[in-house]
Amino acid sequence: MKSYESQIRRLKRNHRETRDLEDPLETISRIKKEDRLIPCITFVIYYGQEEWKHHKRLKDMFGYKQINDANMLESRMNLVQICKDDPRRYKNRDIQMCIDIAQLMFQKDLETIKKRYRQKIDKEVVMMICALTGSRRLESIISKEEGDEIDMCKAIEEWEEEISKQARNEGRLEGEKHGEKRGEKRGEKRGEKRGRKLGRKLGREEGKKDQILQFIQEMLEKGYTDEMILGFKSVTKQLLRQAKTML
């Protein structure tokens, strides 16, 4: 409405400057019957991970059900839902890829992305996907790439490796800190030097185990399968089961 109001004010100002209003009715309204407005269409792009459940029409905001719909000004929301829309609904190939990859990332299905998109993709499309999904780490990797096209499969693999490396580092530091603290407490409780040494040793062992468990939990939360997690050398089936019970 503000857009239409602005256009009408512009028309009135032009007629006032040119003094071309001759018809009495045009003089009153200050616009000509030949004047036309540029249509204004609004699109809402919703990229939440859950389906839109709010109103999509102006009349749904009204509380008066007895009003005849035929006499009511209607305004509908043109809603684009990244998490739900069928990518095939759009003719543009870049938009199809953008929505499809974003949906797969919401589902944490990185393997399907690597299998489905082995070809290079326009860098701007990938940056848009990162913005829609809030993937700052992947965006950082993409921004360092030279050229206008990105190998999506390679970028996803680098992203996974970075996530795994960070998870291992964080788990190691936290595990060592937690383990040494527990070990010191055990050693101090025994009151002997030998007890403190043994406590630190036990603490490091406990810390290593805690590190692995924390790493497994983070991988599970990111959607990694059991087979992928068991591929890490230090992960055993027993630790995997224990990590799942702790979630």
Side-chain angles (χ1 to χ4, degrees):
M1 295 303 297
K2 294 291 291 184
S3 174
Y4 293 139
E5 181 185 17
S6 176
Q7 292 184 56
I8 291 173
R9 283 202 306 269
R10 192 180 306 114
L11 289 171
K12 291 180 178 180
R13 184 171 61 251
N14 291 338
H15 291 312
R16 184 172 63 249
E17 293 174 353
T18 57
R19 298 177 181 273
D20 60 347
L21 298 178
E22 299 176 356
D23 187 283
L25 292 179
E26 293 179 348
T27 304
I28 295 174
S29 65
R30 291 184 291 170
I31 59 175
K32 289 178 171 290
K33 65 179 181 179
E34 295 86 1
D35 289 333
R36 294 293 183 268
L37 299 179
I38 299 173
C40 180
I41 303 174
T42 304
F43 285 88
V44 176
I45 301 178
Y46 170 68
Y47 50 90
Q49 297 191 36
E50 297 181 1
E51 183 180 352
W52 179 274
K53 297 180 181 178
H54 301 284
H55 301 303
K56 298 180 182 178
R57 298 181 300 178
L58 179 61
K59 72 176 185 179
D60 292 336
M61 298 291 291
F62 299 143
Y64 300 96
K65 303 298 182 182
Q66 67 273 22
I67 297 179
N68 187 349
D69 290 353
N71 299 323
M72 184 186 302
L73 177 65
E74 175 63 307
S75 179
R76 296 180 61 87
M77 175 192 294
N78 296 297
L79 180 64
V80 177
Q81 295 193 74
I82 302 299
C83 66
K84 185 183 177 183
D85 281 5
D86 185 348
R88 294 170 297 181
R89 166 187 173 189
Y90 304 95
K91 295 181 179 180
N92 185 279
R93 174 61 178 166
D94 289 343
I95 296 177
Q96 289 180 358
M97 288 193 297
C98 185
I99 293 178
D100 186 39
I101 295 175
Q103 289 177 353
L104 291 171
M105 289 180 68
F106 284 147
Q107 299 165 13
K108 298 182 174 61
D109 191 356
L110 303 183
E111 290 301 315
T112 299
I113 297 176
K114 290 190 289 186
K115 292 177 182 178
R116 189 174 296 174
Y117 296 97
R118 297 184 179 276
Q119 77 277 24
K120 289 191 174 183
I121 301 176
D122 190 281
K123 188 172 183 178
E124 290 186 358
V125 174
V126 183
M127 294 297 284
M128 175 59 71
I129 294 169
C130 294
L132 291 173
T133 57
S135 304
R136 301 305 179 197
R137 292 178 184 171
L138 180 58
E139 181 179 356
S140 177
I141 293 173
I142 298 301
S143 61
K144 296 176 183 177
E145 295 288 332
E146 297 181 355
D148 297 330
E149 293 185 328
I150 298 296
D151 187 331
M152 195 63 185
C153 185
K154 179 182 176 183
I156 291 291
E157 289 176 349
E158 289 183 20
W159 184 35
E160 287 181 304
E161 179 59 30
E162 186 175 310
I163 292 173
S164 299
K165 183 178 179 181
Q166 182 172 352
R168 288 195 296 269
N169 289 338
E170 291 176 354
R172 177 178 58 79
L173 293 174
E174 184 64 26
E176 289 179 356
K177 182 179 177 181
H178 180 65
E180 289 183 6
K181 186 175 180 181
R182 290 176 62 180
E184 288 289 346
K185 285 184 177 180
R186 291 184 184 183
E188 289 172 3
K189 210 169 184 181
R190 294 173 183 177
E192 296 178 359
K193 186 177 181 179
R194 182 180 177 186
R196 287 195 296 271
K197 288 183 178 179
L198 179 59
R200 284 194 292 269
K201 181 178 179 181
L202 290 172
R204 284 192 291 271
E205 292 177 356
E206 289 284 344
K208 185 177 181 181
K209 181 180 178 181
D210 289 343
Q211 171 192 348
I212 297 172
L213 288 173
Q214 183 177 355
F215 170 74
I216 295 172
Q217 288 176 322
E218 292 184 5
M219 292 301 99
L220 288 170
E221 291 174 353
K222 289 180 172 63
Y224 281 69
T225 63
D226 291 358
E227 291 75 16
M228 294 170 64
I229 297 173
L230 288 171
F232 290 93
K233 186 176 180 180
S234 57
V235 178
T236 63
K237 292 183 179 180
Q238 182 179 357
L239 288 173
L240 178 59
R241 287 194 297 269
Q242 185 176 348
K244 287 183 177 181
T245 60
M246 295 169 65
L247 288 175

